[in-house]
Amino acid sequence: MAEKSEKIILLHQERKNAMAVPGLLEAPSGRVDDALGRPLHDLRISVTDRCNFRCVYCMPKEVFDKDYAYLPHNSLLSFEEITRVASIFIAHGVEKIRLTGGEPLLRKDLERLIGMLAALPTPSGRPLDLTLTTNGSLLARKARALKDAGLNRVTVSLDALDDAIFKRMNDVDFAVADVLRGIDVAHEVGLGPIKVNMVVKAGMNDAQILPMARYFKDTPYILRFIEYMDVGASNGWNMAEVIPSAEVVAKISAEMPLVAIDPNYTGETASRWRYADGSGEVGMISSVTQSFCKDCSRARLSTEGQLYTCLFATRGHDLRGLLRDGRSDAEIAGAVAHLWRQRADRYSDTRTQNTNTSDIEPGLKRVEMSYIGG
Ligand code: SAM
Ligand code: SF4
Ligand code: SF4
């Protein structure tokens, strides 16, 4: 293979996570595969590390308190920088971009970024699939502007219908009714099909599985149950707090029978189930009990321009350094391809009962979900 014999020039030797730019640059071909044959297809971009919620499984209050050091504004990638990176990833075959965070709707003028991304041409001529994940708190207010700017769809996180349980999960006082209204407004303006994500944490909100299923059955919304994951280093994850998706399916099926259906595409994170009576669909994201690394085609860009090839990585790769050092698009594209070709991440495939810290080199911590994006 040509790239194997390429001379690699290491930039910024002093930065341990600097990205290597190959000496021989090839124009992006629209497809680049990693070491396990997985193409680069999805890019998740975190636009802020801040959030107005303090979900216990993501940004627990004890860690993300008033003294927590969030990124200063000048560390954040600008909209122009994000758009440039996105165009390079699109040239490598990325067809789906998800904006996330933190809470992405807290980033000022986000509609301007959406407009810039929506205008990017793709090699196939097919429009980019541009979507966003939000906690829904600002959605009713912003849905129209997001749609007008060119956003295709939204995914809304909602962990309970009961206000008291919702508050226990997110540790702030926000009414469930306002999130539900945000979902309805988003649907009305055409940001569908809307997916609703519920993280299930044993002993916290598992009693909400059936009320959530009943509420979203027979609506245009697809409810997805997410197994509580050991991301980051703050949530004190424990396997005993994970409810396997198989149990969720059994619980719902006992009252409202479910039938398994085929995935929409290879690499889809959720397994799909439809109600036997034809009244809608639910999804199961079983990252802990049935890992899906085999088809994982996602790269993640942190708020400050660190590139991650796995959600469970302990190290990012400094893409912002290349952007701010005046590197050309061809050089940055070469560095991204070089990194992706080496990628062999399959953390969830190899996770064990107590992987929360045991697999990590001393001195390193897994990156937080609020920094890298879900
Ligand atoms: N703030 C937005 C939201 O909550 O939708 C976007 C960012 S959030 C990090 C993205 C997704 O990650 C959410 O659906 C959230 O529920 C999920 N998430 C965060 N921590 C998680 C964990 N430990 N296990 C499973 N899902 C998690
Ligand atoms: Fe905020 Fe989303 Fe994390 Fe909850 S899951 S704390 S809403 S970033
Ligand atoms: Fe992808 Fe890493 Fe998750 Fe596996 S563990 S599915 S490689 S992000």
Side-chain angles (χ1 to χ4, degrees):
M1 297 274 290
E3 66 272 10
K4 285 217 173 120
S5 57
E6 283 167 15
K7 184 173 147 232
I8 303 299
I9 301 166
L10 256 184
L11 288 168
H12 324 295
Q13 301 273 343
E14 74 282 5
R15 290 188 208 154
K16 64 178 192 251
N17 62 350
M19 286 180 71
V21 176
L24 184 65
L25 297 173
E26 291 168 43
S29 68
R31 174 159 178 148
V32 54
D33 286 358
D34 74 5
L36 304 178
R38 300 168 296 187
L40 174 54
H41 186 262
D42 292 35
L43 178 62
R44 297 195 176 187
I45 303 175
S46 173
V47 292
T48 177
D49 60 337
R50 291 164 197 259
C51 188
N52 53 350
F53 283 17
R54 285 291 174 276
C55 301
V56 291
Y57 50 77
C58 178
M59 295 180 77
K61 242 179 199 161
E62 314 78 68
V63 178
F64 295 86
D65 59 10
K66 63 176 182 16
D67 298 324
Y68 186 82
Y70 292 99
L71 296 168
H73 192 72
N74 63 357
S75 317
L76 270 53
L77 290 189
S78 68
F79 289 169
E80 287 69 23
E81 288 172 325
I82 292 175
T83 306
R84 184 171 173 218
V85 173
S87 71
I88 290 167
F89 275 77
I90 288 170
H92 277 312
V94 161
E95 295 189 327
K96 181 169 165 188
I97 293 186
R98 177 176 297 280
L99 301 180
T100 176
E103 174 45 43
L105 299 188
L106 291 181
R107 178 86 185 243
K108 200 162 167 275
D109 297 330
L110 187 72
E111 303 78 22
R112 189 167 75 82
L113 174 64
I114 289 171
M116 291 161 75
L117 294 174
L120 290 174
T122 62
S124 66
R126 282 193 296 274
L128 183 68
D129 184 8
L130 185 56
T131 171
L132 173 151
T133 305
T134 172
N135 63 26
S137 57
L138 301 170
L139 191 56
R141 215 181 306 162
K142 300 205 167 187
R144 165 57 65 193
L146 297 170
K147 175 69 185 174
D148 290 348
L151 189 69
N152 300 131
R153 294 181 293 117
V154 287
T155 296
V156 182
S157 303
L158 178 64
D159 295 332
L161 281 181
D162 176 276
D163 273 310
I165 300 175
F166 188 51
K167 183 171 181 334
R168 269 171 64 203
M169 288 296 274
N170 62 32
D171 233 351
V172 292
D173 217 350
F174 196 86
V176 171
D178 291 342
V179 179
L180 294 175
R181 203 166 63 80
I183 294 172
D184 289 339
V185 174
H187 174 68
E188 280 155 28
V189 303
L191 284 172
I194 295 176
K195 290 172 186 152
V196 176
N197 280 352
M198 171 178 176
V199 174
V200 183
K201 192 170 177 213
M204 288 287 280
N205 68 337
D206 42 333
Q208 290 287 290
I209 293 171
L210 282 175
M212 287 280 286
R214 288 183 199 121
Y215 181 89
F216 287 104
K217 185 171 184 281
D218 236 341
T219 68
Y221 314 131
I222 300 172
L223 175 62
R224 304 185 316 168
F225 297 89
I226 306 183
E227 288 178 348
Y228 170 41
M229 285 188 287
D230 47 334
V231 274
S234 303
N235 62 16
W237 184 84
N238 179 335
M239 188 69 184
E241 293 169 324
V242 178
I243 308 248
S245 292
E247 275 181 36
V248 178
V249 170
K251 192 174 219 165
I252 299 174
S253 264
E255 177 180 317
M256 299 166 276
L258 289 169
V259 181
I261 49 179
D262 287 339
N264 285 311
Y265 55 89
T266 310
E268 192 171 26
T269 47
S271 65
R272 300 173 63 208
W273 300 78
R274 70 170 171 78
Y275 289 107
D277 66 5
S279 58
E281 180 178 330
V282 290
M284 303 289 151
I285 303 185
S286 322
S287 351
V288 179
T289 61
Q290 290 161 45
S291 58
F292 36 78
C293 301
K294 182 170 69 63
D295 295 315
C296 179
S297 55
R298 287 175 291 281
R300 293 176 157 87
L301 186 64
S302 82
T303 317
E304 57 177 341
Q306 296 282 312
L307 188 60
Y308 287 83
T309 56
C310 178
L311 185 53
F312 296 91
T314 49
R315 271 198 200 98
H317 303 268
D318 185 18
L319 190 52
R320 187 187 66 188
L322 298 182
L323 292 166
R324 296 194 180 170
D325 280 349
R327 290 284 160 170
S328 67
D329 284 4
E331 286 173 314
I332 297 173
V336 169
H338 177 68
L339 177 69
W340 191 261
R341 285 185 180 119
Q342 292 176 322
R343 173 187 190 247
D345 302 284
R346 47 189 291 270
Y347 172 83
S348 289
D349 278 355
T350 55
R351 174 194 279 115
T352 61
Q353 291 276 325
N354 57 352
T355 48
N356 208 19
T357 50
S358 59
D359 58 332
I360 297 178
E361 280 173 53
L364 289 180
K365 277 205 318 200
R366 271 206 298 269
V367 64
E368 296 295 336
M369 189 97 149
S370 54
Y371 169 80
I372 196 181

